[in-house]
Amino acid sequence: MLRIALIGAGRIGQVHARSVAAHPHAQLALVADPFLENAQAVAAAYGARASDDVDAVFTDDEVDAVIICSPTPLHVPHILAAARAGKPALCEKPVAMETAAVENLRADLEGLDPVVMLGFNRRFDPSFRHIHDQVEAGAVGTLEQLTIISRDPAAPPKEYIAVSGGVFKDMTIHDFDMARYFLGEIVAVSAVGQNLDPELADTGDFDGVIITLINAEGHSATITNSRHCASGYDQRLEAFGTKGALFAENVRPTTVRYSTAEHTNAEDPYLDFFLQRYEAAYSAELSEFIAAITEGRRPSPDIEDGAAALRLAEAAEESARTGKVVRLD
């Protein structure tokens, strides 16, 4: 039974707490958050201890591993603290706010041989993973075009957007990792940003983006993001190749269709948000983290995957601001 400490009791921390509590080989031992009431609320729900001293997590003898859900600027120091303490860490995305911070982290981790996994949970979504495995097996021939659609049901609060690092680092980062998961290393990035939501006009960030990524073989990924979607949490993927195509559609609570004189083939709304849509993915992600620890191997995705996705986010930001294609090769 792996005793896990959770750093951060916010929305994403609560998702991980639920996954840990439900896992047969994990126990939520400690929840640490500078806001003690938040830590106590999550800890009480799952029989864990609570603390407002985050640093104490790394010296606690009753903690075997750490899940880092702290604000992004704290990811690097928390990864480093876990490594120095010899505690494996699963860190939420992005790995850092800037590539320079990742380079410093690499230098600081020299000689520590840490076990660090990055929280790109969508690699573990059953539908996306199945498509990936089918592509790897040659089901569609040579993969030529990957299409990723990811739209949130509603924008987060402006206060969150202001500290999030922007849409590319906060939202599209998942899609950058998914593109690399299918296409490997990307050599060119082109992005268009949209400012169409008057409620977000003063944030300095984009509320919609369209990105094209090209790998060394000339194969492409197209990513479409929006901060808002009237029909719900829109999450789709298409892999198009020389022999065919594979499609992952939106997930609904049931497969029931309803027809009347006014409507035909009406279906349930999409699952509301990432808490529901990716619940199975978070569970599978945790299983990979635990398996890597118990088997003595490096988990995947890792820090280098986080660094590569961050480089793509920075390139997309540059492209959207300048109107130029950004080369990475």
Side-chain angles (χ1 to χ4, degrees), residues 131 135 140 143 145-147 182 237-241 244-248:
I131 289 182
V135 168
V140 299
L143 179 63
Q145 298 173 344
L146 182 73
T147 302
F182 278 86
L237 185 144
E238 173 193 306
F240 172 83
L246 291 162
F247 305 86

Side-chain angles (χ1 to χ4, degrees), residues 53 65 86 99 203 275:
D53 184 1
T99 292
T203 64
L275 304 179

Side-chain angles (χ1 to χ4, degrees), residues 41-281:
V42 175
Y46 301 107
R49 293 179 287 128
S51 174
D52 59 0
D53 184 1
V54 172
D55 292 335
V57 166
F58 306 111
T59 58
D60 195 313
D61 292 335
E62 296 183 7
V63 170
D64 301 315
V66 181
I67 298 179
I68 300 169
C69 301
S70 49
T72 300
L74 296 176
H75 286 181
V76 165
H78 285 163
I79 289 172
L80 185 58
R84 286 173 171 164
K87 297 184 188 294
L90 167 58
C91 182
E92 265 302 322
K93 58 77 193 170
V95 62
M97 280 291 195
E98 305 89 15
T99 292
V102 183
E103 293 172 353
N104 291 335
L105 175 62
R106 286 195 192 100
D108 290 337
L109 290 175
E110 281 289 330
L112 294 177
D113 194 28
V115 176
V116 182
M117 182 174 177
L118 256 291
F120 290 123
N121 67 291
R122 295 184 192 181
R123 290 192 184 204
F124 300 93
D125 174 76
S127 296
F128 297 164
R129 172 60 68 93
H130 181 67
I131 289 182
H132 175 268
D133 291 347
Q134 288 294 301
V135 168
E136 289 292 297
V140 299
T142 300
L143 179 63
E144 296 181 338
Q145 298 173 344
L146 182 73
T147 302
I148 302 170
I149 296 173
S150 179
R151 300 184 179 106
D152 285 354
K158 289 184 180 181
E159 296 78 13
Y160 174 80
I161 292 176
V163 298
S164 69
V167 66
F168 295 112
K169 294 179 182 178
D170 177 56
M171 182 178 178
T172 322
I173 197 85
H174 278 295
D175 305 313
F176 290 136
D177 181 69
M178 187 60 62
R180 290 187 64 253
Y181 185 45
F182 278 86
L183 293 176
E185 296 308 318
I186 303 300
V187 300
V189 180
S190 177
V192 175
Q194 297 173 293
N195 296 103
L196 303 178
D197 187 343
E199 293 296 318
L200 303 178
D202 60 350
T203 64
D205 193 19
F206 300 113
D207 52 69
V209 296
I210 299 173
I211 305 130
T212 301
L213 309 174
I214 307 294
N215 72 4
E217 291 75 37
H219 307 153
S220 69
T222 302
I223 299 169
T224 300
N225 288 160
S226 178
R227 290 283 198 189
H228 57 83
C229 180
S231 54
Y233 194 39
D234 189 8
Q235 302 287 292
R236 289 173 282 159
L237 185 144
E238 173 193 306
F240 172 83
T242 54
K243 293 182 179 179
L246 291 162
F247 305 86
E249 302 295 343
N250 281 302
V251 180
R252 295 176 169 84
T254 74
T255 60
V256 173
R257 291 180 293 157
Y258 177 52
S259 295
T260 68
E262 291 80 27
H263 304 280
T264 59
N265 289 333
E267 298 181 82
D268 289 339
Y270 311 148
L271 290 180
D272 184 52
F273 205 24
F274 72 92
L275 304 179
Q276 295 80 30
R277 171 62 180 82
Y278 289 114
E279 185 171 15

